[in-house]
Amino acid sequence: MTSRKTCCRAACAWVRTLVLVSVLVLGLSMAGCGDDVPGTTTTDPAAASASTTEAVESTVPAGGSSDLVLASTTSTQDSGLFDALIPAFESAYPHYTVKVVAVGSGEALKLGETGDADVLLVHSPASEKTFMENGYGMERKAVMYNDFVIVGPADDPARVRDMSSAPEALATIASAGGLFFSRADDSGTHNKEKALWKTADIEPSGEWYQSTGQGMGETLTIADQKGGYTLSDRATFLTKKTALGLEILVEGDEALFNQYHVIIAKNGRNQQGARDFMDWIVSDAVQQEIIAPFGKDVFGSSLFVPNAGQVE
């Protein structure tokens, strides 16, 4: 009997201990479930940090990158247009950081071929069509236009002022032996210049015809310093005009039309970003609110005329 009572007391003590442990465990579990109770919150710093990172990454489109490389002609850079466009795009798409490479259109197209640029904003239509035909571009859309002008010294030694034909003006400069400075960089401006010389049936050469190998701003400076002529897009010339002694001598010829296109590079690393930029820059809001008024406050007229969807 004594042995049986001892065993019972031991068993009861063991049961009481088990119950106590169970109650403690249940209490701790309920405390840990406080997140599910209305009006209570708990914060795990490590978990919060991971959640924030996950949320930021989710804003970048699948297969996309936060860096977007935009290769463009120097005219869009030198005119200051990118100072208006890029901050606005990055504000609309804060998960992208745009890296602008301002070169001639020919070099920009090469960067698109090699995949070193995601999206292009260029103005060399013939070269652009070849780029698309060779399969380097996914899509090409018109964005805006302005025009080219022939500029030169105020005293105009070749006497081309107010000529209506740009090719005839170039022929006159050549005949007079007037200094002419060519960008010679396969840019859209250089390609336009070559087309005008071809129309004039002239192969320019000699001491009067000099190559700068520079962008539009630098070429204008050199022409000014040397008292020569050059072909420029209107936007860059007007932007630089106050520092130059050059004047617009020939303008208005249809042959001087200057169209800009945006192209998604097929080999680009950030095709989603390129697509977003294309859709954004041809949108009505950007066309009418950023591009259309650009330059009006300073020059009295727009430096670029938006024409998305109006031409090929």
Side-chain angles (χ1 to χ4, degrees), residues 144-200:
M144 59 193 183
Y145 71 90
N146 61 9
D147 63 343
F148 291 104
V149 291
I150 296 176
V151 301
D155 60 354
D156 184 24
R159 300 292 183 265
V160 297
R161 188 185 296 273
D162 297 329
M163 292 185 69
S164 60
S165 168
E168 288 182 13
L170 291 184
T172 301
I173 293 171
S175 178
L179 278 176
F180 187 93
F181 292 90
S182 171
R183 286 178 58 172
D185 60 353
D186 196 32
S187 61
T189 305
H190 182 218
N191 288 333
K192 173 62 72 172
E193 179 210 321
K194 290 190 292 184
L196 294 172
W197 286 119
K198 184 176 181 179
T199 301

Side-chain angles (χ1 to χ4, degrees), residues 98-297:
V98 180
K99 298 182 177 180
V100 175
V101 181
V103 290
S105 289
E107 184 61 29
L109 290 166
K110 288 179 183 177
L111 292 173
E113 287 183 20
T114 59
D116 292 312
D118 304 306
V119 63
L120 316 175
L121 185 59
V122 288
H123 65 141
S124 188
S127 298
E128 295 166 28
K129 289 180 180 178
T130 300
F131 181 87
M132 299 299 293
E133 290 168 358
N134 289 338
Y136 294 118
M138 294 183 66
E139 191 169 357
R140 172 176 175 258
K141 290 184 177 181
V143 175
M144 59 193 183
Y145 71 90
N146 61 9
D147 63 343
F148 291 104
V149 291
I150 296 176
V151 301
D155 60 354
D156 184 24
R159 300 292 183 265
V160 297
R161 188 185 296 273
D162 297 329
M163 292 185 69
S164 60
S165 168
E168 288 182 13
L170 291 184
T172 301
I173 293 171
S175 178
L179 278 176
F180 187 93
F181 292 90
S182 171
R183 286 178 58 172
D185 60 353
D186 196 32
S187 61
T189 305
H190 182 218
N191 288 333
K192 173 62 72 172
E193 179 210 321
K194 290 190 292 184
L196 294 172
W197 286 119
K198 184 176 181 179
T199 301
D201 197 24
I202 293 175
E203 185 68 38
S205 62
E207 293 185 4
W208 65 274
Y209 185 77
Q210 299 186 22
S211 301
T212 68
Q214 301 292 317
M216 196 68 257
E218 293 86 350
T219 298
L220 283 166
T221 298
I222 293 170
D224 181 46
Q225 293 172 344
K226 302 291 185 180
Y229 299 86
T230 192
L231 180 73
S232 173
D233 68 282
R234 186 183 295 271
T236 304
F237 175 73
L238 290 179
T239 304
K240 304 291 184 181
K241 184 180 178 181
T242 55
L244 303 171
L246 301 174
E247 296 183 358
I248 294 177
L249 301 175
V250 179
E251 60 183 327
D253 186 349
E254 290 184 3
L256 296 174
F257 182 75
N258 183 27
Q259 176 68 49
Y260 291 78
H261 289 89
V262 60
I263 300 174
I264 297 175
K266 186 175 181 179
N267 295 327
R269 297 178 178 85
N270 189 349
Q271 291 184 359
Q272 182 60 56
R275 166 65 60 189
D276 288 339
F277 183 82
M278 171 180 275
D279 292 344
W280 179 82
I281 200 170
V282 301
S283 67
D284 288 342
V286 175
Q287 291 272 294
Q288 300 306 319
E289 296 173 17
I290 299 180
I291 297 176
F294 181 73
K296 275 188 177 180
D297 57 338

Side-chain angles (χ1 to χ4, degrees), residues 24-93:
L24 289 172
V25 170
L26 180 60
L28 289 173
S29 297
M30 291 178 67
C33 293
D35 290 345
D36 297 327
V37 179
T40 65
T41 58
T42 59
T43 303
D44 181 344
S49 176
S51 176
T52 301
T53 301
E54 200 171 71
V56 170
E57 290 178 347
S58 70
T59 64
V60 180
S65 166
S66 60
D67 289 336
L68 178 65
V69 181
L70 167 61
S72 184
T73 171
T74 59
S75 61
T76 45
Q77 179 86 333
D78 291 344
S79 66
L81 179 62
F82 280 153
D83 293 335
L85 285 177
I86 302 306
F89 175 75
E90 290 181 336
S91 177
Y93 292 84

